[in-house]
Amino acid sequence: MDQGDEGDGRTANADYSIRVAAGIGAFTPEEWNSFAGTARGDAETNYNPLVSFAFLSALEDSGCAVRRTGWQGHHLRLEDGQGRLLGAVPCYLKSHSQGEYVFDHGWSDAFERAGGRYYPKLQSAVPFSPVTGPRLLVTKGEDSATVKAGLAAGLKAVTQKLGVSSAHVTFAQESDVEVLEAAGFLHRTDQQFHFFNEGFSTYDDFLATLASRKRKAMKKERREALADGISIDRLTGKDITEKAWDDFYAFYMDTGSRKWGRPYLNRQFFSLIGERMADDILLVMARRNGRYIAGAINFIGSDALYGRNWGCIEDHPFLHFEVCYHQAIDFAIERKLKVVEAGAQGEHKLARGYRPVTMHSAHYIAHPGLRNAVADYLRRERHEVERMSEYLEGHTPFRKDLEE
């Protein structure tokens, strides 16, 4: 693909052109906010803060998602013949598979053992965020089906012109996956655990849906989590100070370094989201002996609470469950949010009122041999995910008489 002075390029047909932008700054905030689902206040679509201009620009401006870290911006702009913006795809040229939560290491290893070159690859995702959201972004007022089909075709065309191995659209909405499948992408499924607010007025209303033994266990767990003189603060908006960010970052670094070896987010990122989108953030912080000892960050959408990172500097029984899962349910019920998405994996969430949910992604593999091998693997994987979901759904803590 021909590259311009700022790393932009175009591929076109008679009706539209695709421009590849080297950073989110190639869009104005007003342009990005014109896409369905990216800005609060749009009554027709669900706002997802993790695809907002504020969040994505903070990742790039802080240096977390940039070329140096293996996340080089390659965002697609779909324009008509007059240069009018129709849609976009948040996309990155990746030199590795870290920070994605949909694992393709086996694919890359097999392809490179066979003499291929798997990296770089294109990745349409929100960096470091296993959260479902729109990936084929459509300008409000445009025909969604037409624009999404153009974006899917454009993503394939860019993959081919760059000469990279593949393009991956992860944690995508099912409606986007359907369009991508029609364009020749392969469908992949995975599993998470979400809480669904069934119109509960109080936390006790939710507890009443659980089997008696599970209800008693939940109450006991919450009591014991706070038994060492621990109290919980929920911070949002102007209550999130730089001191609170300092504390949370210390938790994040301590736990992230032990769990993952290399935390992806730097301190500046948290200051930037605090400046740009504090009203969309919920920090749940645990305090003991006058200081914070643990915390979790969540993002507040129009209908959902998205749980992301957790950390602590003291270990206490059940505190992780209280801060990350129980408090999120409390907040969702109070705010009348429909869903809590509690992040990747974790069957331990099942006992705490979270249900198994199927996640979706789509993958375009350029090499026919690798594509056929991956397609066969994904057929078997989808069957296993479906089988496991059915099994886990039969082991939820909810009263059986309410499910009949």
Side-chain angles (χ1 to χ4, degrees):
M1 176 176 293
D2 295 336
Q3 298 293 316
D5 292 339
E6 298 182 358
D8 291 348
R10 287 181 180 271
T11 183
N13 67 15
D15 301 315
Y16 61 83
S17 64
I18 287 280
R19 176 185 298 173
V20 178
I24 203 73
F27 299 82
T28 67
E30 291 75 22
E31 284 180 324
W32 196 267
N33 292 344
S34 73
F35 301 136
T38 62
R40 190 176 291 279
D42 179 8
E44 297 182 3
T45 58
N46 293 332
Y47 168 55
N48 185 321
L50 291 133
V51 293
S52 68
F53 188 87
F55 187 84
L56 294 174
S57 65
L59 285 170
E60 294 188 6
D61 293 346
S62 65
C64 293
V66 293
R67 181 175 184 174
R68 177 179 56 80
T69 63
W71 290 82
Q72 181 180 350
H74 262 56
H75 310 299
L76 274 59
R77 291 176 60 103
L78 181 70
E79 301 173 351
D80 68 11
Q82 290 71 49
R84 187 168 57 90
L85 183 62
L86 304 177
V89 179
C91 195
Y92 302 85
L93 192 65
K94 290 292 304 299
S95 59
H96 53 69
S97 291
Q98 298 168 4
E100 296 171 5
Y101 302 92
V102 175
F103 303 110
D104 62 350
H105 301 91
W107 307 355
S108 66
D109 290 346
F111 194 47
E112 295 190 3
R113 284 199 304 269
R117 185 185 177 203
Y118 194 76
Y119 302 107
K121 63 175 184 176
L122 284 174
Q123 185 81 26
S124 174
V126 177
F128 325 121
S129 303
V131 173
T132 293
R135 300 292 180 260
L136 305 179
L137 305 179
V138 179
T139 300
K140 285 174 279 190
E142 300 295 334
D143 182 75
S144 180
T146 300
V147 172
K148 286 187 176 187
L151 290 168
L155 190 54
K156 284 180 60 177
V158 170
T159 303
Q160 294 161 354
K161 289 203 171 188
L162 289 175
V164 298
S165 69
S166 50
H168 308 264
V169 184
T170 49
F171 296 99
Q173 295 174 334
E174 289 186 67
S175 57
D176 286 353
V177 171
E178 290 173 1
V179 174
L180 292 161
E181 277 195 283
F185 285 66
L186 303 175
H187 182 198
R188 188 176 196 181
T189 58
D190 201 351
Q191 191 172 78
Q192 285 187 358
F193 296 87
H194 298 173
F195 165 78
F196 294 94
N197 182 2
E198 300 174 358
F200 304 127
S201 297
T202 66
Y203 184 80
D204 285 341
D205 288 346
F206 158 63
L207 286 180
T209 67
L210 305 183
S212 175
R213 183 170 59 87
K214 300 294 187 179
R215 183 164 59 247
K216 292 176 182 177
M218 192 94 76
K219 289 180 177 180
K220 180 181 178 182
E221 177 174 281
R222 298 199 70 178
R223 287 194 306 270
E224 293 188 6
L226 306 180
D228 291 332
I230 297 171
S231 61
I232 301 294
D233 292 339
R234 294 190 206 148
L235 308 179
T236 190
K238 61 182 176 55
D239 293 331
I240 306 177
T241 64
E242 283 297 296
K243 177 60 169 65
W245 284 128
D246 285 340
D247 290 337
F248 178 76
Y249 186 65
F251 311 152
Y252 169 75
M253 289 297 293
D254 183 84
T255 300
S257 296
R258 286 187 283 109
K259 185 175 181 181
W260 305 300
R262 191 188 68 178
Y264 298 121
L265 303 171
N266 60 29
R267 177 63 181 82
Q268 185 184 9
F269 168 77
F270 293 104
S271 286
L272 289 177
I273 59 173
E275 293 171 6
R276 299 175 182 181
M277 55 186 304
D279 288 340
D280 294 337
I281 297 169
L282 168 68
L283 276 183
V284 179
M285 303 287 276
R287 182 191 298 273
R288 191 175 81 89
N289 291 338
R291 67 166 187 159
Y292 287 132
I293 60 167
I297 187 171
N298 305 262
F299 292 86
I300 309 167
S302 57
D303 287 330
L305 184 69
Y306 304 96
R308 287 303 304 111
N309 305 105
W310 138 271
C312 66
I313 55 173
E314 292 184 10
D315 291 324
H316 295 272
F318 308 118
L319 186 59
H320 171 252
F321 302 141
E322 176 64 27
V323 170
C324 293
Y325 309 134
H326 300 312
Q327 287 289 327
I329 289 175
D330 284 344
F331 186 85
I333 291 172
E334 291 173 14
R335 287 287 189 99
K336 301 188 184 306
L337 301 175
K338 296 178 181 178
V339 182
V340 176
E341 298 194 16
Q345 305 169 337
E347 293 182 10
H348 57 275
K349 298 166 188 172
L350 195 72
R352 287 149 188 102
Y354 291 73
R355 290 183 179 273
V357 176
T358 300
M359 315 304 289
H360 302 271
S361 59
H363 308 266
Y364 174 68
I365 311 293
H367 188 278
L370 179 61
R371 175 187 172 82
N372 290 338
V374 170
D376 180 64
Y377 170 78
L378 293 183
R379 278 192 292 271
R380 290 181 278 112
E381 185 184 51
R382 288 194 302 272
H383 175 74
E384 179 62 20
V385 170
E386 183 178 7
R387 186 194 67 79
M388 182 58 68
S389 293
E390 292 175 354
Y391 171 80
L392 291 172
E393 188 62 47
H395 290 76
T396 66
F398 298 97
R399 289 165 47 191
K400 300 305 180 185
D401 60 305
L402 297 178
E403 298 180 348
E404 295 175 352

